[in-house]
Amino acid sequence: MSFGDPNNPYGAPQGQQQGYGYPQQQPQTPGYGYPAAPPAQPYGGYPPAPAVMPGSVKAARVMLFVLGGFQALGGVLMMVASAWFADYFEDAVSSDPSISSEDADTVASLGAGVMIVLGVIVLAFAFWAIFTGAKFTTGRGGVRVSAIVYASLVVLFSLVSLLGANVFALLSLVLGILIIVFCANKNGSFWFNRPRY
């Protein structure tokens, strides 16, 4: 047995001859001019599947849009009705002979101003609800907190309104409670605390 025979399977390994065949290349290392390797992906190299919004969170989002829409309609109606309230106040005050017409105009203007300010406040609440609902797809925990605080205020104002025998406040009371429950449960926690890739 000779170690020099290239066909001998028991011989010494034959190394590659330097300078024979292809020219030698420098190994490429990441750095300037060379891209780095892509980051390793979990689950066998596939990107993670996007999370799907749970049904209860979708329901809370729809409820926010419904409440915001009704509040926007109410705010616009309050601002439009301010002229009617001004005329009503002026007629009510001018029927009293002890009040001058200038005082009646002042009371009417004050009543219209109060209605416009209340309409703007209701419109601001409507914007808050709609904006919070729109941020549900990309939002984090702050959107969840915003929805819960908004719904808590809706519940509070609905209870006060129910004490004044407003039966329509029962609808907003139920929607507010459902928004709180749906955003505070484990599905809401999963959705708003999900990892972002």
Side-chain angles (χ1 to χ4, degrees):
M1 257 202 314
S2 83
F3 289 112
D5 184 13
N7 295 325
N8 185 1
Y10 302 107
Q14 299 291 322
Q16 216 178 10
Q17 297 178 358
Q18 296 292 334
Y20 182 75
Y22 297 105
Q24 291 293 325
Q25 295 179 350
Q26 296 295 327
Q28 295 181 356
T29 58
Y32 185 75
Y34 295 107
Q41 296 289 334
Y43 310 113
Y46 297 107
V52 177
M53 188 183 300
S56 59
V57 177
K58 285 181 187 177
R61 182 181 187 201
V62 169
M63 290 176 203
L64 282 170
F65 287 141
V66 167
L67 280 174
F70 280 135
Q71 287 177 341
L73 181 65
V76 169
L77 287 177
M78 288 173 79
M79 293 172 71
V80 169
S82 64
W84 178 80
F85 279 113
D87 291 340
Y88 177 76
F89 286 140
E90 189 173 0
D91 290 342
V93 173
S94 63
S95 64
D96 189 1
S98 64
I99 298 176
S100 68
S101 63
E102 294 156 355
D103 290 339
D105 287 339
T106 304
V107 169
S109 298
L110 184 64
V114 167
M115 287 300 293
I116 289 173
V117 168
L118 288 176
V120 168
I121 291 172
V122 171
L123 282 176
F125 268 87
F127 175 76
W128 182 10
I130 292 170
F131 183 73
T132 301
K135 296 295 281 180
F136 263 41
T137 55
T138 59
R140 288 195 172 272
V143 175
R144 179 183 182 199
V145 170
S146 175
I148 291 173
V149 169
Y150 170 81
S152 300
L153 289 175
V154 166
V155 167
L156 176 68
F157 289 132
S158 298
L159 287 173
V160 170
S161 187
L162 277 175
L163 293 176
N166 183 1
V167 180
F168 296 110
L170 193 59
L171 177 66
S172 62
L173 175 68
V174 170
L175 290 178
I177 290 172
L178 287 175
I179 290 170
I180 293 171
V181 169
F182 289 158
C183 287
N185 67 8
K186 67 176 183 172
N187 287 336
S189 175
F190 160 75
W191 178 251
F192 291 109
N193 295 325
R194 70 192 186 280
R196 274 35 172 215
Y197 297 104

